[in-house]
Amino acid sequence: MNANPKDAFSVSLSKFHRKSVHSQMANTSGSNQLSDVPNTPLPELKVRGLQSAKIKASPKRSPHVLKFYVHDAQCILNDPIKKANRRYENQSEYVFVDTYLDALHMIAQEEKKNKYANGQTIQSEEFSEQQISINPQPTLPNLPAQLIRERMRVYAQSQQKEPQSKSQLAQRQPKKVIKTATSLMTQKIFPNKLTVSLSVHQAIPAIKNKVSAKRWVMFTKQKNEKFFNKQVGWQEFQKGEVASITKIMTCYTTLTYLKECNIEPEQIKIKIPGHAECIDGTSAFLNAGGILTIKQLLFALMLPSGNDAALVLSFTIAYLMILQKTEIYQYNRYLKGAIIDIEPQIERNKKLLKHTFLDQMNKHANSIKMENTNYSSVHGLNDEKNVSCPHDISKLIEKCIQLEVFLEIITTKIFKTHALTDKGSKSTFYKWKNTNKLLKKSGWMGVKTGVTPNAGPCFTGYYKNENLEAIIVVLNCSSMNQRFRDAEVLLVSALK
């Protein structure tokens, strides 16, 4: 049968209830095709879900005739000429029928004949516990065609909508969800896998439908209060990847180490290694061989969200931590202004440097009581083990905003600087812009953006005015710009 799948297009389920009596243009060649082999049982439709079908627009056939895939193994053509000339798509053939329900009716009749002839009854949708225990992950069986047809009829009736006025639309009740055959079977076989992970006794906030983020929380603090308190949240304890929001902890770990050791951020000078130029994702475009201070690298980390800057900072701080315990003389040289060439150390002890810094990040997470957080990355690229939740991130930001250097960095819109050469002259010029678009609006003070395919668009913001401070975390938003709108929606609810 000549049918090009590329000419086919989808048909919504609202057309399934169309009766063949009203389809006067339908050609009867589909039924003739089925009658070519009278002794062959009607083949079952290939599994394509209940929500899709295909039709072929052709001048010889009605555009409303449905086209279904049929198993090739069940299509036995006695005519060798037809068998040689038929066209395949994934080793399947087409059968044309007037409506989807008619096809199901014909299949049901054939099933009854075959099963009664063999002394069998129609398969039931009930499954015993013994069958499930034998096969712990069974494939979902096909329901009888009569049952499918009845549920399709109910769905078709629900799609017939009558015109309503605006007043009727405002007063109507929400529709009940119609459970499909597949969902009903899945609930019986896998009841535990369909449960939604919600917080214990968590009430749905009224503002939920106005926020596209899948996980979010807002902490606020009034002028006369000492600590931040949760204002509203949704799935704030649910773990997940957080993309470049990870860099907040990278920055916090660096600044905390410098503060504990009484080291100024401009005191340590680092030669950019070639490894920094090879990392994927967002970048500050650091050129290998240039010399930058830790403070310059912190701007490169937080403003353009440089993964290369995160790599250099983590290796450098880890190297200093190791030297402080092993070679105090070399450690003091770097404190006095000697340039750290981190490239040879990365080639020798890359794993040691990486795990040293990550261990320090996780220690800080434990001290802050970030119970649903684990760091296995310093920059936040796709990593299933690098997870956190909105509630934990809010705790981290509350600690970070107490550091003056951190506030100086996150409130900067544009930072311009030069790298230096070994001789002290100016080298590469850098201009880093903050990815936080809300800095243009009054009251917004930072903090960080992030996006990866797994984590989705993310944003953490800090707002402050005379009477209110707010920390807002929105994760896995619908789009890059919507993450900022979500944060503003939450803030407006707090300002009311």
Side-chain angles (χ1 to χ4, degrees):
M1 185 178 296
N2 296 330
N4 187 358
K6 294 183 180 179
D7 296 335
F9 53 92
S10 299
V11 181
S12 63
L13 279 175
S14 61
K15 297 184 180 179
F16 283 173
H17 63 277
R18 185 184 292 108
K19 297 183 179 180
S20 59
V21 178
H22 300 289
S23 182
Q24 299 297 336
M25 300 174 62
N27 198 317
T28 59
S29 60
S31 59
N32 294 336
Q33 181 68 24
L34 294 175
S35 61
D36 289 343
V37 189
N39 297 327
T40 304
L42 184 67
E44 294 183 0
L45 299 182
K46 190 173 182 180
V47 178
R48 293 176 63 82
L50 298 180
Q51 296 183 353
S52 65
K54 299 286 184 177
I55 71 169
K56 176 176 174 60
S58 172
K60 296 182 180 180
R61 301 191 62 84
S62 168
H64 303 300
V65 178
L66 300 178
K67 176 176 63 177
F68 297 93
Y69 291 89
V70 178
H71 291 293
D72 180 61
Q74 298 175 345
C75 295
I76 303 174
L77 301 179
N78 296 329
D79 191 347
I81 298 177
K82 292 183 179 180
K83 185 175 181 180
N85 293 335
R86 65 183 178 179
R87 300 179 65 180
Y88 290 86
E89 180 191 82
N90 296 330
Q91 298 182 347
S92 299
E93 190 175 357
Y94 297 115
V95 169
F96 287 89
V97 292
D98 290 334
T99 66
Y100 184 78
L101 299 182
D102 291 340
L104 293 177
H105 177 68
M106 288 186 288
I107 290 176
Q109 297 299 327
E110 292 295 334
E111 285 179 351
K112 283 184 180 180
K113 292 179 182 179
N114 296 334
K115 292 181 179 180
Y116 285 136
N118 298 330
Q120 300 176 355
T121 57
I122 296 178
Q123 186 179 6
S124 174
E125 64 173 336
E126 300 294 335
F127 308 102
S128 63
E129 295 181 359
Q130 183 179 3
Q131 290 175 313
I132 297 175
S133 61
I134 295 174
N135 186 10
Q137 293 182 351
T139 57
L140 298 179
N142 293 326
L143 285 177
Q146 290 284 5
L147 183 58
I148 297 178
R149 180 180 179 183
E150 179 62 23
R151 291 178 178 173
M152 290 297 300
R153 184 184 63 78
V154 174
Y155 182 87
Q157 291 178 355
S158 68
Q159 297 298 308
Q160 297 178 354
K161 300 178 181 178
E162 297 180 1
Q164 297 178 342
S165 62
K166 292 184 178 179
S167 60
Q168 291 175 335
L169 290 174
Q171 298 175 359
R172 68 180 182 180
Q173 298 294 330
K175 293 184 178 180
K176 295 182 179 180
V177 178
I178 299 176
K179 297 182 178 179
T180 62
T182 305
S183 66
L184 291 175
M185 289 189 297
T186 307
Q187 288 178 4
K188 291 181 179 180
I189 298 177
F190 309 110
N192 296 330
K193 291 187 177 181
L194 297 179
T195 57
V196 182
S197 58
L198 299 175
S199 301
V200 179
H201 304 296
Q202 181 177 13
I204 299 178
I207 200 174
K208 176 182 178 298
N209 295 330
K210 299 180 182 180
V211 179
S212 70
K214 294 183 179 180
R215 297 174 290 147
W216 49 269
V217 73
M218 178 174 63
F219 281 74
T220 59
K221 184 177 72 171
Q222 300 295 334
K223 185 176 181 180
N224 56 350
E225 295 177 345
K226 295 182 179 180
F227 303 102
F228 282 87
N229 299 310
K230 193 187 85 168
Q231 182 78 11
V232 66
W234 177 254
Q235 302 285 38
E236 65 267 24
F237 295 100
Q238 183 178 346
K239 293 181 182 180
E241 295 187 40
V242 293
S244 291
I245 306 299
T246 305
K247 296 185 177 77
I248 299 177
M249 178 57 83
T250 305
C251 182
Y252 178 76
T253 303
T254 302
L255 292 175
T256 304
Y257 174 78
L258 297 179
K259 184 177 180 181
E260 291 174 352
C261 299
N262 295 321
I263 302 174
E264 294 296 329
E266 300 91 348
Q267 190 173 347
I268 305 296
K269 300 178 181 179
I270 309 162
K271 180 179 285 188
I272 305 301
H275 289 75
E277 295 182 344
C278 303
I279 193 169
D280 297 329
T282 53
S283 176
F285 302 103
L286 301 178
N287 290 330
I291 299 172
L292 294 172
T293 64
I294 286 182
K295 188 171 184 178
Q296 288 174 311
L297 288 172
L298 288 173
F299 278 100
L301 173 75
M302 298 298 290
L303 270 62
S305 192
N307 293 336
D308 46 1
L311 204 67
V312 177
L313 282 170
S314 62
F315 286 145
T316 303
I317 297 300
Y319 180 54
L320 290 175
M321 292 172 65
I322 295 172
L323 286 180
Q324 192 175 10
K325 299 177 181 179
T326 57
E327 300 181 21
I328 191 66
Y329 172 76
Q330 188 70 13
Y331 173 78
N332 291 330
R333 285 186 65 249
Y334 293 138
L335 296 185
K336 294 179 180 179
I339 299 172
I340 301 177
D341 188 1
I342 199 65
E343 183 84 40
Q345 305 302 326
I346 296 176
E347 294 177 355
R348 295 173 192 169
N349 302 312
K350 184 176 181 179
K351 289 184 178 180
L352 177 61
L353 296 175
K354 176 181 177 181
H355 290 294
T356 300
F357 193 83
L358 287 175
D359 290 343
Q360 194 67 18
M361 291 175 66
N362 286 308
K363 286 180 181 178
H364 286 303
N366 291 333
S367 64
I368 302 173
K369 296 183 180 180
M370 300 171 66
E371 298 176 355
N372 296 318
T373 298
N374 178 70
Y375 291 108
S376 61
S377 168
V378 298
H379 38 62
L381 287 175
N382 287 337
D383 189 343
E384 295 180 353
K385 297 180 180 180
N386 189 78
V387 295
S388 187
C389 68
H391 189 272
D392 289 354
I393 295 172
S394 300
K395 288 184 177 181
L396 174 61
I397 295 175
E398 186 176 358
K399 288 287 184 179
C400 289
I401 59 179
Q402 299 174 13
L403 303 175
E404 294 182 2
V405 179
F406 184 85
L407 282 176
E408 178 187 353
I409 294 171
I410 64 174
T411 54
T412 302
K413 298 178 182 178
I414 299 176
F415 183 76
K416 301 177 182 179
T417 188
H418 282 88
L420 300 178
T421 62
D422 294 335
K423 297 181 179 180
S425 59
K426 291 184 179 180
S427 178
T428 308
F429 172 76
Y430 294 104
K431 181 181 179 181
W432 296 312
K433 294 182 180 180
N434 202 319
T435 56
N436 183 2
K437 295 183 179 180
L438 292 182
L439 284 178
K440 301 176 182 178
K441 300 187 177 182
S442 175
W444 288 97
M445 308 285 289
V447 177
K448 191 76 187 68
T449 62
V451 60
T452 60
N454 293 344
C458 304
F459 174 69
T460 59
Y462 172 55
Y463 176 88
K464 183 179 180 181
N465 61 17
E466 295 180 355
N467 301 318
L468 177 72
E469 293 183 54
I471 296 174
I472 300 174
V473 180
V474 287
L475 305 179
N476 204 348
C477 303
S478 61
S479 67
M480 299 287 281
N481 290 328
Q482 186 62 39
R483 56 185 174 178
F484 301 117
R485 300 190 190 102
D486 288 349
E488 289 183 295
V489 168
L490 293 175
L491 179 63
V492 169
S493 67
L495 294 176
K496 288 181 180 180

